[in-house]
């Protein structure tokens, strides 16, 4: 019997996802958890084929749970299903061992496709999320879209380089550096470089 686990603290969503799974695998067993510890205990039994998990789990974090999971089970297929869809969340999920990432705003077809993934498949991500991978969500709810050059600027800034050094490394003028600074002040709604560095570190850019 195929066995699936759902780790999500929103019961309505978990119940609906369970129905989708059973619709594809009528003889399957779907276990729903809102407690990461209980979920891990079940996974440790070695019978779970696929895990769907949220990022926000009340006091727990699904991305951190992935790290614990990989210490105990390297063959389980784990799919992050989250309302978040920013680059930092997607990249962290991938680095922490997830096999895929689906936004809760996607259509049901994407969930169904993910049911057939194996641990050896390429990281599963929908086309919509591929187009959003430079979109970041801050802890206070801001959504920021950044270009690759803006990301490069922020990384150099966070490393402590001066405007002149940033200009040299990015092969641009100091005038253009000031342009990046003013534009990013507006995007992040901050008034100084300290504010930009704070957000750069928060978002893991």
């Amino acid at each position: 019997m195929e066995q699936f686990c759902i780790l999500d603290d929103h019961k309505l969503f978990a119940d609906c996802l369970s129905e989708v799974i059973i619709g594809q695998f009528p003889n399957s067993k779907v276990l729903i958890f809102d407690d990461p510890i209980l979920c891990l205990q079940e996974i440790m039994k070695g019978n779970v084929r696929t895990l769907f998990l949220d990022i926000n789990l009340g006091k727990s974090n699904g991305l951190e749970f992935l790290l614990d999971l990989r210490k105990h089970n390297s063959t389980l297929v784990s799919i992050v299903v989250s309302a978040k869809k920013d680059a930092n969340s997607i990249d962290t999920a991938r680095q922490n061992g997830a096999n895929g990432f689906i936004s809760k705003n996607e259509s049901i077809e994407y969930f169904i496709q993910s049911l057939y993934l194996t641990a050896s498949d390429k990281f599963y991500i929908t086309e919509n999320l591929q187009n959003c991978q430079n979109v970041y969500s801050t802890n206070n709810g801001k959504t920021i879209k950044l270009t690759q050059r803006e990301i490069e600027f922020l990384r150099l800034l966070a490393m402590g380089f001066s405007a002149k050094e940033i200009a040299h490394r990015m092969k641009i003028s100091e005038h253009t550096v000031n342009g990046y600074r003013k534009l990013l002040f507006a995007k992040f709604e901050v008034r100084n470089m300290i504010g930009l560095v704070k957000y750069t570190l928060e978002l893991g850019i």
Side-chain angles (χ1 to χ4, degrees):
M1 176 185 291
E2 300 281 4
Q3 186 166 309
F4 299 82
C5 278
I6 300 171
L7 177 57
D8 197 300
D9 59 351
H10 293 90
K11 190 175 187 322
L12 178 60
F13 173 81
D15 287 343
C16 291
L17 183 54
S18 175
E19 291 298 320
V20 172
I21 295 171
I22 293 173
Q24 294 296 309
F25 296 87
N27 297 320
S28 65
K29 181 178 181 181
V30 181
L31 301 174
I32 298 174
F33 299 92
D34 60 10
D35 185 331
I37 295 176
L38 295 178
C39 183
L40 183 60
Q41 288 175 349
E42 183 62 37
I43 291 171
M44 289 286 288
K45 296 177 183 178
N47 299 320
V48 179
R49 165 188 171 144
T50 304
L51 166 69
F52 291 92
L53 74 160
D54 197 358
I55 292 177
N56 294 321
L57 299 168
K59 296 181 180 179
S60 302
N61 183 287
L63 298 178
E64 293 176 0
F65 177 80
L66 283 170
L67 287 176
D68 291 334
L69 180 62
R70 290 307 168 196
K71 294 175 184 176
H72 299 91
N73 190 312
S74 60
T75 60
L76 174 75
V77 175
S78 55
I79 310 294
V80 174
V81 185
S82 175
K84 290 190 171 187
K85 53 181 181 180
D86 60 275
N88 186 47
S89 297
I90 296 169
D91 289 344
T92 302
R94 190 200 308 261
Q95 293 167 8
N96 289 10
N99 299 94
F101 195 109
I102 304 174
S103 167
K104 287 185 175 179
N105 294 323
E106 295 284 10
S107 64
I108 199 68
E109 286 77 14
Y110 291 113
F111 292 96
I112 293 174
Q113 289 175 17
S114 70
L115 290 172
Y116 297 91
L117 291 177
T118 67
S120 61
D121 285 334
K122 182 180 177 182
F123 186 78
Y124 179 79
I125 185 172
T126 64
E127 184 177 349
N128 288 336
L129 288 182
Q130 289 175 5
N131 295 332
C132 292
Q133 288 193 76
N134 284 336
V135 177
Y136 292 80
S137 297
T138 65
N139 290 339
N140 59 5
K142 288 189 182 75
T143 298
I144 311 291
K145 188 170 184 178
L146 300 171
T147 67
Q148 286 301 124
R149 292 291 274 174
E150 288 170 341
I151 292 171
E152 182 181 359
F153 172 84
L154 288 170
R155 286 172 176 166
L156 292 171
L157 180 67
M159 291 169 68
F161 291 110
S162 67
K164 184 176 182 178
E165 290 170 326
I166 292 174
H168 176 71
R169 288 174 176 270
M170 293 183 67
K171 295 180 171 58
I172 57 178
S173 68
E174 288 188 55
H175 178 74
T176 302
V177 168
N178 289 331
Y180 275 117
R181 178 177 55 82
K182 291 177 181 178
L183 179 61
L184 290 167
F185 279 176
K187 282 191 176 186
F188 285 98
E189 299 179 4
V190 298
R191 296 181 179 180
N192 53 49
M193 297 293 232
I194 294 175
L196 282 183
V197 171
K198 173 180 173 291
Y199 277 119
T200 301
L201 297 175
E202 176 187 315
L203 299 175
I205 292 174

